[in-house]
Amino acid sequence: MIVRLRSRDGLERIEVDGNANLAALKLAIQEKLGVPVAEQQLSKNPALLTTKDPSSINDLQADGAGLAQLGVQHGDMVFLLYGFEREVAPVVKKADWEKRPFGAHMDVARMVSLQTRIERQDAPHAASASFDFGAANAFQSYVASALAFSIKRGGILYGTVDEETHEVFVNAIYEPPQSGNADSLQLERGTEEEAAADLIAAHLGWRKVGWIWAQSTKEREFIMSSEEVCQCAAVQDEMGEHAVTAVVATWPGEDGQPEVHFEVFQVSDQCVRLWKEGWFQQQGEPGGTSTLRNPKEPRDQAPVIVAGKDQGELDNDYFLVPVAVKDHEGPLENKFPVENRLLPQGAPELKAHLQQRRAAPYWARLADFHLLLYLARQPNFDEPEVSVLVDAVHNKAAVPEGFQIIIDSMAGL
């Protein structure tokens, strides 16, 4: 049987007997690929290649168990982690520039223009990403319960960045109008609603600090597709070098029951630059590799140099830089129904929200990002009125009585 092996250094294939056990596979890897058995960690979970705690992934540990017993079939992808760097010889189709007749003129400038060296980035710009527990839970609960992870769902992260420690604090997740399926997601950007979210965030001392998306349950053998890597690069280019990407996914746990996983990444600075320069090529089918082509030579399949080898395609994992995940309690609630969902958001929900907090000061009753955004979309509240409301919430100050009367009337109180 053929087993495909994905490591941080590339994709390889190895052949073992159909009745082989895990120990036999490890021995074949040692003999044919030069990775000592003691250095190997294997898993069917792609997170093995990016997690900061590889010991937490232990699905392929029983050396005496048969590969079939462990769920490894002919042609399956197995992820291989080891603690050193190797050069993996790629299988690459001959590029157009290689097909030119011998002796065709190519000066040094042209040779340089056709190549770029892809380097791994060891450390992210964001030291960590801490999520308000209520905001994170509201997002992942919705995609798990209402959508059952059947399609992709996304949102924009608002919060702060500590300029000294470079820690990112996410206090709210805005979910814009969007279209998604199992493979692809497009957020509707630049709307009046997003401008209102920006206004609210600015008066709270927040800004955009990244984005979040939930994977569908469609089987995939990679962490991010080319589309997703390009979207991450676009977000970092737009929001700054500390902007993060949060990925929510569900995988079977040890007991076979689904478990929700929350991971955060950045893409490398070089990835952002290559995206801005137009190196990434559109691909029909989603996959775990990206085709890179020099935009100055669109007819040529320009090789990139990875670990000293010319390659026409590159594993997307090469661009990913994991970020530590934390949680905290933010300054506002995230309990009011979230915008642009299948769930209702209107006067009955406003009434229930206010009544549940009737004993609190009025500013505290309004201290919810999604409630403030709901009010900002109502006819009675233009930018000056919204600014007054948000400033009252931010400063924990009295809300003008006229505003209280208007909001209570909207809620039917």
Side-chain angles (χ1 to χ4, degrees), residues 277-290:
E277 294 176 357
W279 279 75
F280 285 87
Q281 301 299 300
Q282 296 295 325
Q283 296 178 332
E285 293 296 326
T289 62
S290 290

Side-chain angles (χ1 to χ4, degrees), residues 140-141 143-144 149 247-251 257-262:
Q140 67 184 28
S141 295
V143 296
F149 285 95
V247 182
V248 181
T250 179
W251 301 325
Q257 298 301 310
E259 295 180 353
V260 176
H261 293 258
F262 205 98

Side-chain angles (χ1 to χ4, degrees), residues 185-248:
L185 173 67
Q186 297 297 325
L187 304 182
E188 188 176 330
R189 300 292 310 279
T191 62
E192 291 184 5
E193 184 179 73
E194 184 177 343
D198 287 345
L199 174 66
I200 293 168
H203 280 269
L204 293 169
W206 303 352
R207 60 183 174 91
K208 291 186 174 87
V209 292
W211 77 308
I212 185 172
W213 50 272
Q215 286 183 358
S216 72
T217 51
K218 182 176 179 180
E219 185 175 353
R220 57 196 287 173
E221 297 175 338
F222 50 89
I223 298 173
M224 286 195 192
S225 67
S226 295
E227 177 185 276
E228 291 159 354
V229 166
C230 290
Q231 289 171 326
C232 296
V235 165
Q236 283 177 223
D237 182 54
E238 173 193 347
M239 303 178 191
E241 65 180 13
H242 293 106
V244 297
T245 293
V247 182
V248 181

Side-chain angles (χ1 to χ4, degrees), residues 72-88:
V72 179
Q73 306 294 329
H74 174 72
D76 279 359
M77 178 79 74
V78 172
F79 297 88
L80 169 63
L81 181 66
Y82 43 86
F84 57 93
E85 187 170 305
R86 299 168 52 240
E87 291 189 1
V88 175

Side-chain angles (χ1 to χ4, degrees), residues 106-117 279 294 303:
M106 181 179 288
D107 58 24
V108 173
R110 177 170 174 77
M111 292 173 66
V112 172
S113 74
L114 286 173
Q115 289 188 319
T116 191
R117 181 177 294 275
W279 279 75
N294 191 334

Side-chain angles (χ1 to χ4, degrees), residues 6 120 222-230 267 271 280 283 286-292 313-321:
R6 173 83 71 184
R120 246 186 218 287
F222 50 89
I223 298 173
M224 286 195 192
S225 67
S226 295
E227 177 185 276
E228 291 159 354
V229 166
C230 290
V267 292
C271 177
F280 285 87
Q283 296 178 332
T289 62
S290 290
T291 300
L292 301 178
E313 289 188 343
L314 178 68
D315 289 342
N316 293 329
D317 298 357
Y318 217 85
F319 290 126
L320 302 184
V321 189

Side-chain angles (χ1 to χ4, degrees), residues 93-102 104 300-301:
K93 294 181 180 179
K94 185 170 284 190
D96 291 341
W97 62 271
E98 294 179 288
K99 300 175 184 177
R100 292 189 179 127
F102 178 78
D300 288 333
Q301 177 83 22

